[in-house]
C-alpha cells in the first residue's frame, strides 16, 4: 500500500546529487528460484552453447525449433557483406510453423484469446483448429479474389483485432509479404507506405474501440488512396472487416468495385483449404516501416527463415514460453514487438497468446490486472510508458487481483530503476523475473536482456548481450571502447544474426549507409568481422558485462516507445502555408518518456498567430498520426542558426526542457536565444508546465539533440 506514497516522496526528494546516485549502477536482484526447474533456459550449459566461438553453429538450435520442408545447405552465407543470408538453401512456410504443425496436439487449445475493450463484451477464444480455418479461408480470398502471388505486397491498416494476425498468417501461407501500418497512424502515412511498397491492396476495418468510443477507421482508407496516388500507386481493392458483425460504423462510403466487406466475400471461400507455399528461407515475410535520421520512413524487410528462427528461439529462452502458458504481450501488433512477440514467436511455440483491443486504463486502472486474473496470464509483457501510466493512476491496483506472473518483459525505452522496482515489487509481487529486452525494428528480436531464471536482474540495465549476439561499443572515432569500461559510445552488433532485417525495402544503398557505413573500415572486405551493425543507440557497458541503454543517437524522438523522425515532423509542419521553417525537439515527460515540441517561424508577410500553431498540430496529426501531436507549438521570430544556416536544435531543446542551452558562440543570431527563452518560459509557467528535474543522462541527451543534422 505504501508504494505509491513512497514513490512520490522519493520523487520530491530528488536533487542534483541524488540524481547522480539514482543513476549509478544498481544492485543485482536475484532471479526467482521457484521457476528454475521448469525453465527453458534453466542451466548454465546454454551460455556455453552460445559462446562467441560457437558462432554461427549456435543458431542451429533456433532453426531446429522450426519445421522445414527442406533443410538448409549453409547456416549463413557471408560472402556478400552486409547481405548475410541465413539458412541458405532451406525451405519452409511460416504459417505452417505457427498453425498447422500444432494441430495434431493442440487443435482444441486456444491459440489466440482476444479481449475486446468493452468489458461487458465477450472474450473471443480462437483455438488452433479455428485459427487454421480462418487463415485458410482468408488466404483463399487473397489468392483468388485479389489474385496475389508469392512475394507481392499487401498492406494492412488494422487495429488490435483478431483479423490482423489471421491476415498476417494468410499472407505467410501464400508467401505474400505483408506490411502492417500501425492503426493509430494516419491515412496519409498508410498511403505513403503503400506507395513505397508498391502495394495495391489494402486491408482495413470500419471502426474499433478506443477509450470506450467506436472510432471511425475506414475514413483513413480514403486518405490512404489519395496519398498512394501521389506516389504513383492506384489502390485496386480495399478489403473491409467489420468490427461489429453485420453493422457498418463509418462515415466513409463503400466505393463500388473497389471496397468490399470481407465477411461478404468470404462466403465464397468457406471451408476452403490452401496449400502452403514452400518458400526459400531468404524470401521475405514482411515489411515494417520505421523512422530514422533522414527522409521518409524506411521499410525494414524481414526474412522468413532467419526472422522466424530468431523470434522463436528468443521467445522460448527469454520469455520462457511453453505451450501450456498463457502469454500476454500488451503491445500493438502494428509495431515490431507485436509481430515478433504477439504473433510469430509465441504461435511458433504453440502457446496461447492474448490480444487486448483497447487502452490500458479503460475503464479503470485495474483492467490489465483483471484480464490477467481472469485469463490466468502467467507471462506478461509491456512497455515502460504503460508501466509508468499504470503506476500513476493505480499504484495499488495490482495488489487487488489474484494473478501469478512468472516472467514480465519490458521493451521500447529505458526503464527508470524506480519504475522497475514498482513493476517488480507491486506488479510481479516480488516473485516474477523481469526481462528488460533491448532491441529495435531492424533487429527482428532481442539483442540485450537477462535469461529470466539464470541471470540476475539489474534495474536500469537491460542485461548482457543475448545468446549468440556479440555487442561492441565504439567511440566517435571508430575505436572500440574496452569492454566493461563504463564509457559511453555507439553500440553495435559485431556478428551477423538470423533476426536482422535483410535490407531497406528497395534501397540496398540506404541499408549500408544507415547501418554499416559508420564503423565499416573496408567496404570491400568479405569478412563479417569488418561489418559491425550500428544499432542507433548510445550505451555503456559495466564491468559485469551488463549494458545500460542511453537512448537514440539519431534525430529520433521516442514518444511512449514510438519512434518519430524529426524530419517527418518538420516536413509536416512546413506543409502549412504560413510556415517558413520548423524544428522538432523532444521534451522529457513523466509518463510518456518524451513528447514533441515544435518551433515554427512564419513566412514574411504572415502573422504568427495561435491559428498557425493549431494548423501545425493538425497537419502533423494528419500526416503521421495522433501520437505525434506536439505538446506545444512555439511560433518564434527566428530559429537559432549556425552561420551556415542550420537550425541548432539542441538550443531550443534546452529551452523546452529548462536545461542549459550550451555553447551559442557559433550562432549567427545569438540574441534570438534570449527572446525565445523569455517567450517559452513564461508561456510554460502560465500553462503550469514546470521545471522538471532531469537525470544527468537525460540532460546529456538533450544537450546533444540534433547534432546529427547540424
Ligand atoms: C529503444 C522497439 C532502452 C531504443 C523494440 C531503440 C530501448 C528503440 C529498449 C527501438 C530497452 C527499445 N531499453 N531502450 N529495453 N528497447 N529501446 O524500433 O532507443 O520501435 O533504438 O523497436 O527503442 O524502437 P523500435
Amino acid at each position: 500500500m505504501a508504494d505509491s506514497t513512497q514513490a512520490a516522496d522519493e520523487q520530491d526528494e530528488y536533487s542534483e546529487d541524488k540524481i547522480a546516485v539514482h543513476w549509478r549502477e544498481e544492485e543485482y536482484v536475484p532471479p526467482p528460484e521457484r521457476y528454475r526447474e521448469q525453465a527453458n533456459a534453466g542451466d548454465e550449459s546454454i551460455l556455453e552453447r552460445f559462446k562467441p566461438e560457437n558462432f554461427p553453429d549456435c543458431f542451429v538450435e533456433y532453426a531446429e525449433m522450426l519445421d522445414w520442408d527442406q533443410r538448409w545447405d549453409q547456416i549463413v552465407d557471408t560472402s556478400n557483406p552486409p547481405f548475410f543470408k541465413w539458412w541458405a538453401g532451406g525451405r519452409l512456410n511460416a504459417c505452417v510453423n505457427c498453425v498447422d504443425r500444432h494441430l495434431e496436439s493442440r487443435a482444441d487449445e486456444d491459440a489466440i484469446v482476444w479481449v475486446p475493450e468493452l468489458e461487458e463484451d465477450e472474450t473471443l477464444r480462437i483455438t488452433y483448429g479455428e485459427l487454421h480455418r480462418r487463415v485458410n479461408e482468408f488466404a483463399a480470398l487473397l489468392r483468388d479474389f485479389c489474385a496475389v502471388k508469392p512475394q507481392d505486397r499487401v498492406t494492412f491498416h488494422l487495429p488490435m483485432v483478431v483479423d490482423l494476425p489471421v491476415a498476417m498468417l494468410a499472407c505467410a501461407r501464400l508467401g505474400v509479404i505483408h506490411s502492417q501500418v500501425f492503426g493509430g497512424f494516419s491515412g496519409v502515412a498508410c498511403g505513403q507506405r503503400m506507395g513505397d511498397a508498391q502495394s495495391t491492396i489494402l486491408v482495413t476495418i470500419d471502426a474499433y474501440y478506443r477509450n470506450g468510443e467506436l472510432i471511425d477507421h475506414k475514413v483513413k482508407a480514403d486518405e490512404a488512396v489519395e496519398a498512394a496516388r501521389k506516389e504513383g500507386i492506384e489502390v485496386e481493392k480495399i478489403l473491409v472487416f467489420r468490427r461489429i458483425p453485420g453493422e457498418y460504423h463509418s462515415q466513409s462510403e463503400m466505393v463500388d468495385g473497389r471496397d468490399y466487406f470481407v465477411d461478404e466475400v468470404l462466403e465464397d471461400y468457406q471451408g476452403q483449404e490452401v496449400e502452403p507455399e514452400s518458400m526459400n528461407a531468404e524470401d521475405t515475410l514482411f515489411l515494417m516501416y520505421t523512422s530514422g535520421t533522414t527522409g521518409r520512413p524506411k521499410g525494414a524487410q524481414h526474412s522468413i527463415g532467419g526472422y522466424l528462427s530468431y523470434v522463436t528461439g528468443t521467445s522460448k529462452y527469454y520469455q520462457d514460453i511453453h505451450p501450456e502458458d498463457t502469454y500476454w504481450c500488451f503491445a500493438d501488433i502494428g509495431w515490431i514487438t507485436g509481430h515478433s512477440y504477439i504473433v510469430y514467436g509465441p504461435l511458433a511455440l504453440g502457446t496461447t497468446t492474448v490480444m487486448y483491443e483497447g487502452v490500458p486504463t479503460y475503464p479503470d486502472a485495474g483492467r490489465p490486472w483483471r484480464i490477467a486474473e481472469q485469463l490466468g496470464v502467467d507471462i506478461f509483457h509491456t512497455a515502460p510508458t504503460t508501466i509508468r501510466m499504470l503506476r500513476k493512476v493505480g499504484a495499488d491496483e495490482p495488489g487487488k487481483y489474484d494473478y501469478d506472473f512468472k516472467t514480465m518483459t519490458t521493451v521500447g525505452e529505458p526503464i527508470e530503476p524506480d519504475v522497475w522496482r514498482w513493476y517488480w515489487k507491486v506488479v510481479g509481487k516480488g516473485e516474477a523475473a523481469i526481462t528488460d529486452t533491448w532491441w529495435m525494428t531492424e533487429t527482428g528480436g532481442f539483442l540485450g536482456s537477462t535469461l529470466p531464471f539464470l541471470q540476475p536482474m539489474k534495474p536500469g540495465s537491460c542485461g548482457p548481450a543475448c545468446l549468440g549476439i556479440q555487442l561492441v561499443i565504439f567511440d566517435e572515432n571508430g575505436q572500440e571502447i574496452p569492454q566493461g569500461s563504463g564509457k559511453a559510445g555507439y553500440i553495435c552488433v559485431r556478428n551477423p544474426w538470423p533476426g536482422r532485417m535483410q535490407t531497406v525495402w528497395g534501397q540496398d544503398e540506404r541499408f549500408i549507409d544507415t547501418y554499416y557505413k559508420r564503423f565499416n573500415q573496408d567496404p570491400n572486405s568479405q569478412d563479417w568481422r569488418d561489418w559491425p551493425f550500428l544499432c542507433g543507440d548510445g550505451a555503456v557497458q559495466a564491468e559485469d558485462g551488463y549494458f545500460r541503454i542511453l537512448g537514440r543517437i539519431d534525430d529520433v524522438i521516442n514518444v511512449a516507445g514510438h519512434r518519430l523522425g524529426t524530419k517527418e515532423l518538420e516536413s509536416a509542419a512546413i506543409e502549412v502555408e504560413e510556415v517558413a521553417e520548423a524544428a522538432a525537439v523532444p521534451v522529457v515527460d513523466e509518463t510518456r518518456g518524451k513528447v514533441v515540441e515544435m518551433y515554427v517561424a512564419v513566412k514574411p508577410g504572415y502573422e504568427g498567430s495561435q491559428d498557425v500553431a493549431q494548423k501545425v498540430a493538425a497537419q502533423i496529426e494528419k500526416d503521421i498520426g495522433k501520437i505525434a501531436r506536439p505538446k506545444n507549438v512555439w511560433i518564434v521570430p527566428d530559429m537559432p542558426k549556425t552561420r551556415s544556416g542550420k537550425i541548432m536544435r539542441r538550443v531550443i531543446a534546452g529551452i523546452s526542457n529548462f536545461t542549459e542551452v550550451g555553447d551559442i558562440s557559433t550562432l549567427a543570431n545569438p540574441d534570438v536565444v534570449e527572446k525565445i527563452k523569455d517567450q517559452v518560459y513564461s508561456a510554460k509557467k502560465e500553462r503550469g508546465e514546470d521545471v522538471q528535474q532531469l537525470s544527468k543522462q537525460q540532460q546529456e541527451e538533450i544537450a546533444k539533440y540534433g547534432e546529427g543534422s547540424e
Side-chain angles (χ1 to χ4, degrees):
M1 182 235 109
D3 272 282
S4 58
T5 18
Q6 202 183 328
D9 287 344
E10 274 168 20
Q11 217 106 56
D12 292 338
E13 273 171 33
Y14 279 176
S15 62
E16 256 311 286
D17 56 341
K18 286 243 170 70
I19 288 160
V21 172
H22 173 79
W23 281 98
R24 70 162 188 226
E25 290 291 331
E26 300 279 326
E27 300 289 324
Y28 287 125
V29 177
E33 277 296 323
R34 63 178 179 143
Y35 288 108
R36 185 143 174 182
E37 281 281 291
Q38 60 84 61
N40 287 325
D43 71 79
E44 309 260 331
S45 68
I46 195 168
L47 302 173
E48 193 60 24
R49 299 202 299 278
F50 280 89
K51 67 184 182 192
E53 296 86 306
N54 292 339
F55 173 84
D57 307 55
C58 56
F59 288 118
V60 169
E61 190 168 328
Y62 286 178
E64 285 180 342
M65 292 175 191
L66 302 179
D67 285 1
W68 294 79
D69 300 332
Q70 186 178 310
R71 201 177 161 95
W72 53 93
D73 308 319
Q74 205 182 351
I75 296 174
V76 57
D77 171 2
T78 60
S79 60
N80 180 29
F83 300 97
F84 309 117
K85 294 185 167 39
W86 284 88
W87 320 121
R91 300 189 78 85
L92 77 168
N93 182 282
C95 177
V96 167
N97 274 285
C98 293
V99 186
D100 302 47
R101 68 166 173 161
H102 306 308
L103 290 178
E104 203 179 304
S105 58
R106 298 187 56 79
D108 298 327
E109 302 293 334
D110 293 334
I112 300 175
V113 176
W114 179 74
V115 182
E117 195 190 59
L118 300 187
E119 221 162 354
E120 58 274 25
D121 285 358
E122 205 178 330
T123 292
L124 197 62
R125 291 177 176 275
I126 313 268
T127 61
Y128 274 95
E130 167 73 2
L131 182 61
H132 184 258
R133 182 185 68 77
R134 289 192 186 210
V135 166
N136 271 281
E137 288 178 354
F138 196 67
L141 181 157
L142 282 176
R143 184 190 59 190
D144 300 344
F145 183 68
C146 302
V148 293
K149 303 265 174 306
Q151 300 291 280
D152 282 353
R153 277 78 54 205
V154 171
T155 300
F156 310 150
H157 196 198
L158 288 169
M160 286 293 280
V161 288
V162 170
D163 311 302
L164 174 51
V166 166
M168 289 163 74
L169 293 163
C171 282
R173 193 167 193 85
L174 297 168
V176 164
I177 300 171
H178 57 74
S179 171
Q180 153 70 3
V181 178
F182 170 54
F185 275 157
S186 66
V188 173
C190 175
Q192 287 173 345
R193 285 156 175 77
M194 293 188 80
D196 189 79
Q198 307 269 299
S199 162
T200 57
I201 293 165
L202 176 63
V203 182
T204 188
I205 195 166
D206 64 331
Y208 62 99
Y209 281 99
R210 193 108 194 124
N211 248 325
E213 261 177 68
L214 199 50
I215 299 185
D216 187 343
H217 188 66
K218 166 67 166 54
V219 283
K220 290 185 176 175
D222 300 324
E223 290 162 14
V225 169
E226 282 304 309
R229 192 170 286 147
K230 284 193 192 143
E231 312 279 321
I233 281 290
E234 201 52 43
V235 176
E236 287 165 14
K237 282 200 170 71
I238 302 185
L239 303 175
V240 185
F241 283 102
R242 290 196 259 204
R243 172 60 181 80
I244 302 173
E247 298 179 14
Y248 183 61
H249 292 273
S250 172
Q251 296 298 318
S252 153
E253 284 189 21
M254 294 289 281
V255 175
D256 234 16
R258 187 197 72 185
D259 301 356
Y260 302 89
F261 287 124
V262 176
D263 55 296
E264 289 178 3
V265 187
L266 267 182
E267 284 176 14
D268 294 339
Y269 298 93
Q270 273 177 25
Q272 289 210 12
E273 288 208 10
V274 172
E275 192 56 33
E277 289 285 333
S278 185
M279 302 298 292
N280 279 319
E282 265 296 305
D283 283 332
T284 298
L285 184 59
F286 67 87
L287 305 180
M288 168 67 60
Y289 281 84
T290 193
S291 299
T293 307
T294 51
R296 290 267 189 91
K298 42 191 184 291
Q301 179 182 328
H302 281 285
S303 71
I304 300 175
Y307 170 83
L308 195 64
S309 62
Y310 196 67
V311 299
T312 306
T314 48
S315 294
K316 180 159 180 169
Y317 292 145
Y318 285 91
Q319 305 197 290
D320 199 45
I321 293 179
H322 298 69
E324 53 280 8
D325 287 315
T326 299
Y327 166 88
W328 182 19
C329 171
F330 202 160
D332 195 293
I333 296 178
W335 306 113
I336 191 71
T337 302
H339 275 51
S340 301
Y341 298 111
I342 296 178
V343 181
Y344 286 113
L347 292 179
L349 293 171
T351 199
T352 300
T353 183
V354 176
M355 283 177 72
Y356 171 56
E357 178 183 29
V359 299
T361 50
Y362 185 83
D364 57 65
R367 185 71 188 280
W369 322 123
R370 279 200 293 284
I371 293 174
E373 180 184 84
Q374 281 157 11
L375 302 181
V377 171
D378 64 340
I379 306 178
F380 184 72
H381 186 163
T382 191
T385 292
T386 310
I387 305 171
R388 287 185 214 112
M389 187 204 298
L390 289 168
R391 177 173 82 158
K392 194 168 166 190
V393 297
D396 303 329
E397 286 298 311
K400 299 180 186 163
Y401 298 94
D402 184 20
Y403 57 80
D404 189 5
F405 294 157
K406 72 171 172 181
T407 67
M408 304 192 301
T409 301
T410 141
V411 64
E413 306 152 73
I415 181 165
E416 299 80 355
D418 157 51
V419 178
W420 191 101
R421 278 196 202 88
W422 180 79
Y423 195 34
W424 183 68
K425 223 172 17 185
V426 181
V427 178
K429 304 172 182 175
E431 296 185 333
I434 292 185
T435 49
D436 180 350
T437 60
W438 165 75
W439 59 298
M440 54 267 331
T441 305
E442 295 88 336
T443 70
F446 308 147
L447 291 183
S449 186
T450 47
L451 285 162
F453 304 112
L454 213 52
Q455 295 170 320
M457 306 168 262
K458 192 157 71 169
S461 297
C462 64
C466 286
L467 297 167
I469 301 289
Q470 302 168 29
L471 295 177
V472 46
I473 302 178
F474 289 100
D475 69 13
E476 292 282 335
N477 310 315
Q479 295 299 316
E480 228 175 289
I481 292 180
Q483 288 196 4
S485 66
K487 289 210 179 76
Y490 301 83
I491 189 162
C492 295
V493 187
R494 162 102 64 206
N495 60 316
W497 75 102
R500 194 210 64 185
M501 66 195 272
Q502 300 169 289
T503 186
V504 174
W505 176 256
Q507 302 178 69
D508 286 350
E509 274 313 306
R510 191 169 172 199
F511 176 62
I512 299 175
D513 287 353
T514 310
Y515 304 103
Y516 288 98
K517 209 171 183 175
R518 176 114 201 205
F519 295 114
N520 165 259
Q521 313 250 347
D522 173 11
N524 297 316
S525 168
Q526 290 199 347
D527 185 347
W528 59 260
R529 289 168 196 81
D530 292 329
W531 294 87
F533 176 91
L534 178 71
C535 296
D537 283 324
V540 296
Q541 188 186 27
E543 235 174 304
D544 57 11
Y546 279 43
F547 292 91
R548 267 191 299 149
I549 305 304
L550 307 173
R552 301 287 308 181
I553 50 164
D554 52 14
D555 299 337
V556 164
I557 306 180
N558 189 335
V559 177
H562 305 182
R563 274 163 71 170
L564 302 175
T566 303
K567 288 281 178 326
E568 291 159 64
L569 292 157
E570 294 171 358
S571 326
I574 58 176
E575 273 179 55
V576 175
E577 205 202 318
E578 295 89 337
V579 173
E581 283 181 311
V585 297
V587 177
V588 174
D589 183 81
E590 205 191 327
T591 23
R592 286 150 65 84
K594 305 260 166 51
V595 291
V596 175
E597 284 195 5
M598 298 296 301
Y599 284 77
V600 165
V602 294
K603 290 175 189 156
Y606 284 102
E607 187 109 358
S609 62
Q610 209 34 43
D611 185 40
V612 175
Q614 297 269 342
K615 280 191 202 164
V616 168
Q619 190 66 38
I620 289 174
E621 193 172 324
K622 176 159 186 278
D623 285 1
I624 306 173
K626 259 210 180 77
I627 48 161
R629 203 181 164 90
K631 179 172 183 182
N632 290 305
V633 178
W634 307 113
I635 313 269
V636 293
D638 196 6
M639 298 283 181
K641 284 187 193 144
T642 61
R643 294 203 179 86
S644 57
K646 290 194 177 139
I647 301 174
M648 273 217 170
R649 291 179 181 75
R650 67 167 166 81
V651 173
I652 42 183
I655 295 175
S656 274
N657 287 281
F658 296 103
T659 53
E660 295 294 318
V661 294
D663 180 12
I664 53 168
S665 62
T666 58
L667 287 188
N669 53 352
D671 48 315
V672 79
V673 176
E674 278 310 310
K675 279 194 208 146
I676 298 179
K677 213 184 213 177
D678 286 348
Q679 174 192 348
V680 171
Y681 277 19
S682 59
K684 279 193 178 238
K685 294 232 164 87
E686 226 166 80
R687 294 174 198 184
E689 297 171 18
D690 278 336
V691 182
Q692 302 190 54
Q693 293 286 6
L694 303 197
S695 69
K696 277 224 163 59
Q697 184 174 314
Q698 288 168 328
Q699 286 172 22
E700 270 166 31
E701 197 184 335
I702 297 299
K704 283 198 175 142
Y705 187 73
E707 272 182 356
S709 52
E710 271 171 26

